[in-house]
Amino acid sequence: MSKEEKKVNRRDFLFTASYTVGAVGVGAVIWPMIDQMNPDKAQQALATTEVDISNIEPGKSITVLWRGKPVFLKRRTPEEIAEARAVNMDDLPDPQKDEERVKEGKDEWLVMLGVCTHLGCVPLKDKGDFNGWFCPCHGSHYDVSGRIRKGPAPTNMEIPKFEFVDSNTIKIG
Amino acid sequence: MSEHEYTPKSKAGKWFNDRLPLLTLGAHLTDYPTPKNLNYWWTFGGILTFCLITQIVTGIVLAMHYVAHADLAFASVEHIMRDVNYGWLIRYIHSNGASMFFLAVYIHIFRSLFYGSYKSPREVIWIIGLMIYLLMMAAAFMGYVLPWGQMSFWGATVITNLFSAIPLVGDSITTWLWGAYSVDNPTLNRFFSLHYLIPFLILGLVVLHIWALHVPGNNNPVGIDIKKPSKDTVPFHPYITIKDAFALLVFMIIFAGFVFFTPNVLGHSDNYIPANPLVTPAHIVPEWYLLPFYAILRSVPDKLGGVILMFSAIFILFVLPWLDTSKVRSAVFRPIYRQFFWILVIDVLMLGYVGAMPAEGIYLVLARVGTIYYFLHFIVVMPVVGYLEKTDPIPMSISEPVLTGGAEPSLARKVNDKV
């Protein structure tokens, strides 16, 4: 055996193979210990919420709980929709058209997570400078489409995944 | 301790080590001179450390999902088994881990009994070890109560009622332990609190156990005093670490075998029935590792007497270093004691077996014979055999039996002085 061949010998192979198997084993033990802190099956089972919207008058809103967080469902009047769509995109810190925040043909229904994008407080309805929501924690103003207009919040209030099961029922999640 | 003074190479290391000598401690643990003839029975210290850490880690995880309330505990354990990500795995490791812990500790204790590791100058190591063992039993008992199944509830009832045997104040003590007039929600709450505390007490005692070990150094299979460091010793790392690691791997394979293939074989199926204060299971038994003591308890036809004898069976071990009169440590050179040692092993196994059987007929007879021998072994056999036994000649050094005539004369004198 020449000197070059001896540089990688059987012992090196055994070391590398042992460490590799050891690392896989340690990883296989550590992962369950980490994953156990993720939402369990009981939590995942609560991942959708169905809401009856037949009793909501135009201009009114309700708040429901989805995954432990409030979801605002607002049935907007034609005037409010017109107001939301008249806004100049340049005035928005996080530009987004109102049409992108509602389902086509169901323009009156605004469904969004009632969680301020700043630090997670719940904004108050019909408050603030823009006829929408106002977060009392640190003074963020949202408009009638739930878009951030003034204050420290970085983005518009989030639109969750939802669908109309029928004309009177919305499924969130 | 290491003979040489350790100085860190780097300037930063030296700066830190002057303020907190952790690096000196690390060097001491690495270089620690260990007898070169340690066999695999000496690997159980490392295995037990692994068991303790496993129980603490899985226990902390389980406590994130468990609810210590009489109405919710059973359901929360089922929630862990069914809903929590890998909850079944973590709980099975924890419940089987307790059994593996006791398996290892019994081997460790009998290793000490065979090779005389409890004798001078290692009495304090032995006593700290027994304190750890007592705390392990308390932790295991309280842990078994937490799932709040039928065996949990009635095990807790029976064990806490042991204290009612104490004259005059027994009933008051039992009520105080319960925090109620029977085993109930307050009992469960305090057991959970203490079950979480005890492992950390054990951890502290383990540090003292190892500290006390590192003063005289390890005993060894020939049981003689050795010069350290010398040609009779090897550094702890890498020689002992690799041997411990290999033994640990084999141990983990057995452990994993239980966890993945027969996770409930060491438990009792009645504990999957929610606790019912109105119905006692037909046949109530403790976990396997407590069975020998349970057999001793039941062998006495008197409430107080049974309790006293059961506790004595453990506490007699504390004075073992003074009951054993032999100056030779290792049973390898004690032909008579060696036979009694194996009789004791068989006796304890038999007590464990009859502890699992109904307390009647032949089982009761065997339990009584076993109990009598258990105490005779420590009170009569150990002192008397120590005096009368003619021991085999012991080698002057570990190397001597291998290298004929290779013993150092200076070493020989030292051994003869001590023995």
Side-chain angles (χ1 to χ4, degrees):
Chain A
M1 211 184 254
S2 73
K3 270 201 165 164
E4 283 75 42
E5 281 171 316
K6 272 185 183 170
K7 274 179 186 163
V8 180
N9 56 26
R10 191 183 342 206
R11 176 165 292 204
D12 293 321
F13 171 78
L14 284 172
F15 269 130
T16 310
S18 306
Y19 285 136
T20 308
V21 171
V24 171
V26 169
V29 170
I30 287 176
W31 172 243
M33 300 295 162
I34 295 168
D35 192 38
Q36 54 87 17
M37 285 175 78
N38 278 321
D40 59 39
K41 290 190 186 69
Q43 291 297 323
Q44 288 168 11
L46 305 173
T48 62
T49 300
E50 290 201 1
V51 187
D52 178 11
I53 53 171
S54 58
N55 293 328
I56 304 173
E57 300 291 330
K60 298 291 178 191
S61 69
I62 63 165
T63 305
V64 298
L65 206 60
W66 173 66
R67 285 184 166 181
K69 286 179 185 163
V71 174
F72 296 157
L73 288 91
K74 185 174 171 75
R75 186 172 182 183
R76 302 181 299 179
T77 60
E79 298 81 54
E80 286 171 327
I81 298 171
E83 184 192 332
R85 295 190 173 180
V87 175
N88 184 349
M89 284 294 127
D90 295 338
D91 294 341
L92 296 174
D94 179 21
Q96 192 180 22
K97 285 184 180 168
D98 184 61
E99 289 87 336
E100 295 166 20
R101 294 176 60 78
V102 294
K103 297 267 189 232
E104 204 177 340
K106 302 273 189 185
D107 296 342
E108 58 178 354
W109 292 105
L110 177 66
V111 179
M112 67 179 177
L113 274 187
V115 177
C116 180
T117 56
H118 181 219
L119 291 170
C121 296
V122 179
L124 304 168
K125 66 179 175 183
D126 305 326
K127 287 258 166 59
D129 300 347
F130 298 90
N131 197 23
W133 287 266
F134 172 71
C135 181
C137 289
H138 307 96
S140 292
H141 299 255
Y142 295 89
D143 67 13
V144 75
S145 186
R147 293 173 296 197
I148 180 65
R149 301 297 290 271
K150 200 169 90 180
T155 58
N156 305 331
M157 277 194 269
E158 194 185 328
I159 306 295
K161 185 170 166 274
F162 73 96
E163 61 187 48
F164 289 85
V165 178
D166 55 50
S167 58
N168 285 331
T169 312
I170 288 177
K171 189 173 96 176
I172 306 166
Chain B
M1 302 293 270
S2 311
E3 300 291 306
H4 64 278
E5 277 302 308
Y6 171 78
T7 317
K9 286 191 192 79
S10 73
K11 214 171 174 183
K14 194 177 175 321
W15 179 90
F16 183 82
N17 203 50
D18 286 344
R19 282 148 185 83
L20 181 66
L22 274 186
L23 296 168
T24 303
L25 177 65
H28 161 71
L29 294 175
T30 310
D31 302 340
Y32 173 63
T34 317
K36 67 179 181 183
N37 60 338
L38 295 190
N39 56 34
Y40 275 106
W41 300 113
W42 258 267
T43 60
F44 283 87
I47 287 170
L48 284 161
T49 310
F50 166 80
C51 286
L52 177 62
I53 291 166
T54 303
Q55 291 304 87
I56 288 178
V57 170
T58 53
I60 287 170
V61 164
L62 288 171
M64 293 181 188
H65 305 282
Y66 171 76
V67 184
H69 189 283
D71 295 340
L72 304 170
F74 188 88
S76 77
V77 171
E78 286 309 304
H79 162 73
I80 289 168
M81 294 302 291
R82 294 155 197 248
D83 295 342
V84 174
N85 302 322
Y86 297 103
W88 60 273
L89 175 64
I90 294 159
R91 175 166 174 259
Y92 278 152
I93 291 175
H94 196 74
S95 59
N96 284 285
S99 284
M100 299 311 289
F101 206 157
F102 275 96
L103 177 68
V105 93
Y106 282 130
I107 294 172
H108 196 62
I109 290 171
F110 276 104
R111 192 287 321 273
S112 186
L113 284 175
F114 187 86
Y115 293 109
S117 301
Y118 51 87
K119 291 193 216 188
S120 173
R122 297 184 180 83
E123 302 95 321
V124 172
I125 312 174
W126 170 255
I127 287 168
I128 293 170
L130 287 174
M131 289 162 73
I132 294 172
Y133 174 53
L134 279 177
L135 284 178
M136 278 174 63
M137 287 197 283
F141 158 64
M142 293 192 211
Y144 196 57
V145 175
L146 300 184
W148 212 239
Q150 274 291 67
M151 278 293 160
S152 300
F153 185 90
W154 293 102
T157 301
V158 169
I159 300 296
T160 50
N161 265 313
L162 291 178
F163 294 92
S164 71
I166 301 168
L168 300 176
V169 293
D171 283 335
S172 311
I173 287 178
T174 312
T175 308
W176 175 76
L177 286 173
W178 289 337
Y181 299 98
S182 65
V183 173
D184 209 334
N185 191 50
T187 324
L188 177 61
N189 260 303
R190 62 191 60 182
F191 277 18
F192 180 56
S193 169
L194 294 172
H195 183 70
Y196 207 117
L197 166 71
I198 290 173
F200 296 97
L201 299 180
I202 294 176
L203 191 62
L205 285 174
V206 166
V207 171
L208 294 182
H209 194 62
I210 295 170
W211 187 3
L213 169 70
H214 280 230
V215 175
N218 287 69
N219 185 29
N220 63 77
V222 276
I224 56 171
D225 289 318
I226 52 169
K227 198 164 166 281
K228 295 178 291 280
S230 71
K231 64 175 185 172
D232 277 350
T233 67
V234 289
F236 189 79
H237 181 76
Y239 294 95
I240 305 298
T241 42
I242 199 72
K243 186 162 182 160
D244 276 2
F246 178 71
L248 180 59
L249 268 177
V250 174
F251 183 81
M252 282 158 80
I253 290 170
I254 298 166
F255 194 155
F258 278 108
V259 169
F260 291 103
F261 294 104
T262 58
N264 289 308
V265 74
L266 297 169
H268 198 293
S269 52
D270 274 7
N271 219 27
Y272 284 104
I273 302 168
N276 181 356
L278 301 177
V279 183
T280 306
H283 185 45
I284 186 160
V285 282
E287 292 284 79
W288 68 266
Y289 38 80
L290 301 176
L291 286 172
F293 301 108
Y294 193 57
I296 292 174
L297 170 76
R298 295 193 308 182
S299 70
V300 184
D302 176 73
K303 185 173 176 179
L304 181 60
V307 173
I308 288 173
L309 219 57
M310 185 184 73
F311 281 106
S312 305
I314 299 163
F315 284 105
I316 198 167
L317 298 173
F318 279 84
V319 291
L320 186 61
W322 297 277
L323 288 173
D324 186 350
T325 52
S326 176
K327 284 175 179 148
V328 175
R329 288 201 192 94
S330 174
V332 170
F333 307 106
R334 300 184 61 191
I336 308 297
Y337 170 73
R338 194 162 64 221
Q339 294 169 35
F340 282 107
F341 169 84
W342 288 112
I343 292 172
L344 180 72
V345 172
I346 293 163
D347 183 60
V348 171
L349 290 175
M350 184 194 77
L351 281 173
Y353 173 72
V354 298
M357 294 293 127
E360 57 197 29
I362 184 71
Y363 299 121
L364 197 55
V365 176
L366 287 174
R368 285 176 181 163
V369 171
T371 302
I372 290 165
Y373 180 76
Y374 183 89
F375 284 99
L376 279 181
H377 181 91
F378 293 111
I379 297 170
V380 179
V381 172
M382 291 200 99
V384 172
V385 169
Y387 275 119
L388 301 180
E389 186 178 40
K390 187 183 182 305
T391 55
D392 294 338
I394 57 170
M396 284 180 282
S397 79
I398 291 172
S399 306
E400 194 209 49
V402 186
L403 314 164
T404 315
E408 297 167 34
S410 60
L411 204 59
R413 218 176 301 120
K414 192 182 160 217
V415 171
N416 289 336
D417 289 346
K418 285 247 168 130
V419 172

